Amino acid sequence: MKFIDIAKKRYSVRSYKNQKVEPEKLEQILEAAHVAPTAANLQPVHLIVVQSEEGLSKIGEAANIYGAPLAIIVCADHNKAWVRPFDEKQTADIDASILTDHMMLQATELGLGSVWICYFKPDVLRKELKLPDHLEPINILAIGYSNDETVDTDRFDTQRIPMSQLVSYEKL
C-alpha cells in the first residue's frame, strides 16, 4: 500500500471490538516507533505498553480509551531531550509525537484502528503508573480492531482546509 493511501485510510477510532491485538502486530507497531527519528538522535522517549484489564482500568482513571484492548503511553524523557540553544526549546514532546505518528500509521497498515489521546489527566496517569519525575506522559495511543465501518478516504476534500490555505510559497 502506498504511504498516502495508509494516511488517508487512518481515522480516529472510538469504538473497539473485544479482540486482543496479536503479539506480532504489537511488535511491528513498536518497531515503527523504534525507527522513528528524534532530534539529534537522542531518543528522549519511553513507551509503556498496557494490555491487562487492570492496567487498562488504571488508564481509565485518567482518560477515555474507548474500550481499546491496547494502550501505549508515550512519555518524554526530559533528562535526554535535545534543547535548541537559541531559545531553549526542548524537543521531547515533538519526538514523542513523531513516534506516535509512526505507530499510528503502522497500526493502520496492519488493519488496526487507533486514536491519539491528549485529553487525559497527567497527574492521575503519573500516579497510577508510578512514573518517575523525568518522564512526562505526552499522549496515549489506543489501538485495537475497530467496531466502525471504514471511512471515506476522499473525506479530506471536504473536511480539511484547502491546500491554498495550508501552503504558502516563498516570494522572492
Side-chain angles (χ1 to χ4, degrees), residues 10-11 20 56 60 88 95 99 130 139 159 161 172:
R10 196 224 66 85
Y11 66 98
K20 296 280 186 192
L56 294 169
E88 304 301 312
D95 293 331
L99 264 75
K130 298 177 177 62
N139 61 60
Q159 295 179 357
I161 61 174
L172 301 176

Side-chain angles (χ1 to χ4, degrees), residues 22-145:
E22 297 86 345
E24 58 275 8
K25 288 187 177 184
L26 173 58
E27 288 304 313
Q28 289 180 63
I29 292 165
L30 296 174
E31 183 179 359
H34 189 241
V35 303
T38 61
N41 197 30
L42 292 177
Q43 304 166 55
V45 289
H46 184 77
L47 305 177
I48 302 168
V49 177
V50 181
Q51 302 177 85
S52 70
E53 283 188 38
E54 179 185 356
L56 294 169
S57 178
K58 284 182 179 184
I59 294 172
E61 297 295 321
N64 182 357
I65 59 169
Y66 306 98
L70 167 64
I72 301 174
I73 312 304
V74 183
C75 298
D77 184 338
H78 293 291
N79 288 345
K80 294 170 56 177
W82 182 76
V83 177
R84 186 170 47 207
F86 310 106
D87 61 358
E88 304 301 312
K89 168 64 179 165
Q90 188 185 84
T91 61
D93 57 338
I94 297 168
D95 293 331
S97 296
I98 294 168
L99 264 75
T100 305
D101 191 56
H102 272 55
M103 291 188 294
M104 187 173 55
L105 292 170
Q106 180 62 67
T108 300
E109 183 186 47
L110 295 170
L112 296 164
S114 65
V115 63
W116 181 321
I117 301 167
C118 287
Y119 187 84
F120 64 91
K121 299 173 189 168
D123 55 331
V124 173
L125 198 58
R126 182 178 293 286
K127 178 181 164 225
E128 291 294 333
L129 297 176
K130 298 177 177 62
L131 295 178
D133 289 341
H134 69 280
L135 288 183
E136 176 191 3
I138 300 296
N139 61 60
I140 302 166
L141 186 61
I143 303 171
Y145 288 94

